[in-house]
Amino acid sequence: MKISQKGLYALQAMMMLARHYNQGAIRIRDIAYEEALPEKFLELILLELKNARMVESVRGANGGYHLRRAPKDIRLSEIVRLIDGPLAPFADAEQLRDLIDRDDEHRALYRVFLEVRDAAARILDSTSLADIAIPRKTGKPARRRVGKEPRGRVLAMAAQSGSKAHSE
């Protein structure tokens, strides 16, 4: 499973808003600075999250964004599906089930893909923003990026394999 750069930024912004839950609206500039995200791209992401009713915007001098629901009520799967779509290399679980039913020769392979998809979905469905939005030890931002991020960069979400994973 891969999370796009946009998906990663959305998760980081939502984690930041979760850390500041009940502290009022947070300006885009402050979210971008604290999470070291590109401000213009973040604006588009927050608009998408707003349209999905995950965040709410507040206008005015004290304006910005805040979560519409408590962090414990927002699942990572909601954010990932909104920004990046289905949680598998195939369109969805129904498509995989259809392939399992129709393609005898590759049925076992599609069952494995469905199991992977289901495991990823279970983890993301059972993890809330509250579970991962641990308050920072200092008030400093995570880090400042130098230059622009390369386009199309993705974060590969895969379990470790090989001898290191087996030796632990």
mmCIF file of all heavy atoms in Angstrom, residues 5 33 47 59 67 121 167:
data_model
loop_
_atom_site.group_PDB
_atom_site.id
_atom_site.type_symbol
_atom_site.label_atom_id
_atom_site.label_comp_id
_atom_site.label_asym_id
_atom_site.label_seq_id
_atom_site.Cartn_x
_atom_site.Cartn_y
_atom_site.Cartn_z
ATOM 1 N N GLN A 5 2.093 11.749 -1.251
ATOM 2 C CA GLN A 5 2.613 12.882 -0.481
ATOM 3 C C GLN A 5 1.441 13.714 0.046
ATOM 4 O O GLN A 5 1.447 14.159 1.182
ATOM 5 C CB GLN A 5 3.539 13.738 -1.347
ATOM 6 C CG GLN A 5 4.334 14.734 -0.541
ATOM 7 C CD GLN A 5 5.352 14.065 0.370
ATOM 8 O OE1 GLN A 5 6.138 13.244 -0.070
ATOM 9 N NE2 GLN A 5 5.340 14.407 1.626
ATOM 10 N N TYR A 33 3.884 25.705 9.227
ATOM 11 C CA TYR A 33 5.171 25.893 9.897
ATOM 12 C C TYR A 33 5.464 24.749 10.864
ATOM 13 O O TYR A 33 6.539 24.156 10.827
ATOM 14 C CB TYR A 33 5.208 27.235 10.637
ATOM 15 C CG TYR A 33 6.536 27.460 11.323
ATOM 16 C CD1 TYR A 33 7.650 27.864 10.594
ATOM 17 C CD2 TYR A 33 6.683 27.225 12.686
ATOM 18 C CE1 TYR A 33 8.881 28.045 11.215
ATOM 19 C CE2 TYR A 33 7.905 27.402 13.311
ATOM 20 C CZ TYR A 33 9.006 27.812 12.567
ATOM 21 O OH TYR A 33 10.216 27.975 13.186
ATOM 22 N N LEU A 47 -9.016 22.362 2.340
ATOM 23 C CA LEU A 47 -10.300 22.590 1.675
ATOM 24 C C LEU A 47 -10.992 21.255 1.397
ATOM 25 O O LEU A 47 -12.193 21.106 1.619
ATOM 26 C CB LEU A 47 -10.092 23.376 0.379
ATOM 27 C CG LEU A 47 -11.359 23.714 -0.391
ATOM 28 C CD1 LEU A 47 -12.308 24.566 0.461
ATOM 29 C CD2 LEU A 47 -11.013 24.444 -1.677
ATOM 30 N N ARG A 59 -13.469 32.154 10.069
ATOM 31 C CA ARG A 59 -12.962 33.385 9.455
ATOM 32 C C ARG A 59 -12.599 34.397 10.514
ATOM 33 O O ARG A 59 -12.989 34.295 11.659
ATOM 34 C CB ARG A 59 -14.035 33.986 8.547
ATOM 35 C CG ARG A 59 -14.324 33.136 7.348
ATOM 36 C CD ARG A 59 -15.400 33.787 6.518
ATOM 37 N NE ARG A 59 -15.716 32.948 5.388
ATOM 38 C CZ ARG A 59 -15.926 33.398 4.182
ATOM 39 N NH1 ARG A 59 -15.880 34.689 3.940
ATOM 40 N NH2 ARG A 59 -16.198 32.569 3.200
ATOM 41 N N LEU A 67 -10.641 20.697 14.104
ATOM 42 C CA LEU A 67 -11.350 19.441 13.846
ATOM 43 C C LEU A 67 -12.827 19.600 14.154
ATOM 44 O O LEU A 67 -13.193 20.250 15.137
ATOM 45 C CB LEU A 67 -10.769 18.313 14.706
ATOM 46 C CG LEU A 67 -9.308 17.945 14.474
ATOM 47 C CD1 LEU A 67 -8.888 16.847 15.445
ATOM 48 C CD2 LEU A 67 -9.065 17.514 13.038
ATOM 49 N N ALA A 121 -6.882 -2.240 6.222
ATOM 50 C CA ALA A 121 -8.135 -1.555 6.565
ATOM 51 C C ALA A 121 -8.437 -1.686 8.055
ATOM 52 O O ALA A 121 -8.840 -0.715 8.697
ATOM 53 C CB ALA A 121 -9.288 -2.111 5.726
ATOM 54 N N SER A 167 15.104 -11.388 13.456
ATOM 55 C CA SER A 167 16.038 -11.465 14.590
ATOM 56 C C SER A 167 15.540 -10.722 15.811
ATOM 57 O O SER A 167 16.115 -10.859 16.873
ATOM 58 C CB SER A 167 17.405 -10.923 14.164
ATOM 59 O OG SER A 167 17.318 -9.548 13.858
#
